[in-house]
Amino acid sequence: MKRVVITEARLATMTRGGGSYGLLDDGAIAIEGGRIAWAGTRADLPGEWSGVERINLGGRLATPALIDCHTHLVHGGDRAREFELRLQGASYEEIARAGGGILSTVTATRHMDEEQLVVSALPRLDALIAEGVATVEIKSGYGLTIEDELKMLRAARRLGTLRNVRVKTSYLAAHAVPPEYKDRADAYIDEVVLPGMEAAYEADLADAVDGFCESIAFSPGQMERVFAKAQALGLPVKLHAEQLSNLGGAKLAASFSALSADHLEYLDQEGVAAMKTAGTVAVLLPGAFYTLRETQAPPVAELRGAGVPIAIATDCNPGSSPLSSLLLAMNMACTLFRLTPEEALAGVTREAARALGLADEIGTIAPGKRAELAVWDVEHPAELSYRIGFNPLYRLFLGDVA
Ligand code: DI6
Ligand code: FE
């Protein structure tokens, strides 16, 4: 197996108990077969690694490669016109109820084939990769027929073969009720969401099952039926919960041991407690908060106080978060939600890994983890959250270094 040692690096290991950021000023990382065998201060590098090929980072900062754990990267068309309408005063819910919003993206997505979806998603994926992202979650949810949902998931899987990036997919047929099932949400669940989930599972196209629990989408009772099926198939669940109102979605998700509950602006104390008990990660999406000019921030102090892990993601989607910069999402999480820069960085590394069920594989610089590192031309990790519209990535190292 190939061996290599990375030296002359400042390391933000993001391991717990390592002090602030798990920072090591004069660090080294020993890598064997694409996995970290040892990480620490250079002076302590075990003798067996002397004479092994070195990569000198010239004193730059290395962090775990970034993880965007919530995106709708694959979709047809755009919603620039809806952006204009919102600026003229229409609300996100009004537009959705009038058949625009998510459903206008459904029309555009249904008109595209798998190849067109892949081609249109690549620039967004490349923008993320250019900022140090090596793992990205991609949801379906704009097809809303069995075939169109599977088409989206196949496009997402293809993206993972076209670029050096790990793609985790989520089956999100329970995103909106399509026009052909208007006022028949339960029939849509029975005839499309549940059999489509089985088909996605059979074809190994879904790594998790997601839903949108909201008055303009699905009730907790309806989501419970979706999650029961996911559980029967052995698929982990997650949920868009408490984004526009409090329906108790996070509590429902936690009762199914969800990997994450996402958005959470209207989360209450009961939801926080349920998430803590279940180990469900809170995925905060400041791009949607910003785009919708939401004024109620998620209960960060309560989440932090309860010890609920907090992740940050772009929610990259054409309607509520046309954002393909994870660095900007980190900045927004600090400025809009008052996360610390260390929490923001943990939110796109360690906690994002946990939100995808990948905590054993990626997310920190520690022995046993994959050697997936982002190297930055900055001195201190707080700079990653601090600057706006500036990308200091020097290099992305993936498992292929050794
Ligand atoms: N919440 C969101 O922010 C995205 N989906 C969801 O359930 C937005 C989807 C869209 O507006 O296209
Ligand atoms: Fe979303």
Side-chain angles (χ1 to χ4, degrees):
M1 265 191 291
K2 193 174 173 215
R3 302 170 98 208
V4 67
V5 176
I6 289 177
T7 59
E8 313 281 318
R10 303 191 77 204
L11 304 181
T13 62
M14 304 312 288
T15 50
R16 276 176 221 283
S20 185
Y21 300 89
L23 211 53
L24 295 173
D25 270 332
D26 188 10
I29 307 172
I31 298 168
E32 179 163 17
R35 281 197 194 264
I36 297 170
W38 182 92
T41 297
R42 182 163 54 147
D44 299 333
L45 183 71
E48 56 171 304
W49 294 92
S50 62
V52 170
E53 181 196 338
R54 306 262 153 150
I55 297 175
N56 183 331
L57 293 189
R60 291 182 181 84
L61 177 76
T63 67
L66 306 192
I67 301 163
D68 194 348
C69 68
H70 179 141
T71 85
H72 308 251
L73 206 73
V74 170
H75 59 256
D78 68 78
R79 304 243 288 280
R81 177 65 191 135
E82 176 182 321
F83 177 59
E84 291 183 324
L85 290 175
R86 279 205 317 276
L87 288 171
Q88 287 160 22
S91 77
Y92 182 75
E93 282 120 310
E94 280 161 8
I95 292 168
R97 288 189 204 283
I102 292 177
L103 293 183
S104 73
T105 301
V106 170
T107 305
T109 303
R110 286 179 177 179
H111 278 106
M112 286 169 84
D113 64 20
E114 182 188 322
E115 177 68 17
Q116 290 169 317
L117 287 174
V118 167
V119 168
S120 76
L122 270 176
R124 295 185 283 272
L125 179 60
D126 286 338
L128 293 175
I129 293 170
E131 288 189 348
V133 171
T135 299
V136 58
E137 185 260 13
I138 303 178
K139 304 173 191 301
S140 67
Y142 293 119
L144 312 187
T145 67
I146 294 177
E147 239 343 286
D148 289 309
E149 287 292 301
L150 297 181
K151 175 180 74 181
M152 287 187 73
L153 294 171
R154 280 194 298 268
R157 285 270 196 253
R158 270 277 303 290
L159 288 168
T161 67
L162 294 174
R163 293 292 185 270
N164 204 351
V165 70
R166 179 186 295 98
V167 170
K168 293 290 265 184
T169 58
S170 299
Y171 175 74
L172 177 59
H175 193 198
V177 181
E180 60 274 19
Y181 282 95
K182 191 168 171 18
D183 299 324
R184 295 190 298 131
D186 281 297
Y188 171 64
I189 291 174
D190 288 330
E191 293 165 22
V192 178
V193 177
L194 301 183
M197 191 194 303
E198 185 130 8
Y201 170 80
E202 294 293 341
D204 194 22
L205 286 172
D207 299 318
V209 170
D210 196 351
F212 187 19
C213 188
E214 196 61 59
S215 62
I216 55 169
F218 298 92
S219 69
Q222 289 165 337
M223 278 318 307
E224 188 169 359
R225 298 208 293 125
V226 176
F227 284 172
K229 173 81 175 177
Q231 197 169 52
L233 293 173
L235 289 172
V237 304
K238 55 179 74 175
L239 189 64
H240 289 69
E242 273 74 85
Q243 179 185 9
L244 308 169
S245 62
N246 179 7
L247 296 187
K251 197 174 147 195
L252 171 76
S255 76
F256 282 85
S257 306
L259 287 171
S260 68
D262 304 34
H263 286 289
L264 303 176
E265 277 82 346
Y266 291 84
L267 182 68
D268 61 15
Q269 196 54 51
E270 210 182 326
V272 172
M275 289 176 68
K276 170 63 186 166
T277 305
T280 297
V281 177
V283 177
L284 306 186
L285 304 167
F289 174 92
Y290 166 85
T291 300
L292 300 182
R293 306 186 76 226
E294 176 60 64
T295 52
Q296 175 153 333
V300 167
E302 285 78 2
L303 290 166
R304 190 188 276 138
V308 174
I310 299 174
I312 305 296
T314 61
D315 195 16
C316 178
N317 78 67
S320 66
S321 188
L323 170 65
S324 22
S325 168
L326 194 53
L327 291 176
L328 183 52
M330 292 165 68
N331 172 270
M332 287 176 169
C334 296
T335 300
L336 301 175
F337 294 166
R338 314 312 277 167
L339 261 68
T340 67
E342 182 174 8
E343 287 172 328
L345 185 55
V348 298
T349 56
R350 186 181 69 227
E351 308 306 358
R354 195 203 283 231
L356 295 179
L358 292 172
D360 293 338
E361 280 288 296
I362 52 174
T364 63
I365 299 177
K369 296 280 177 92
R370 310 252 5 138
E372 298 182 11
L373 310 167
V375 182
W376 310 91
D377 267 316
V378 303
E379 287 197 5
H380 193 275
E383 291 175 63
L384 299 177
S385 294
Y386 152 73
R387 291 193 194 278
I388 303 170
F390 181 72
N391 178 8
L393 186 74
Y394 168 72
R395 224 195 117 162
L396 196 50
F397 279 107
L398 300 176
D400 55 345
V401 287

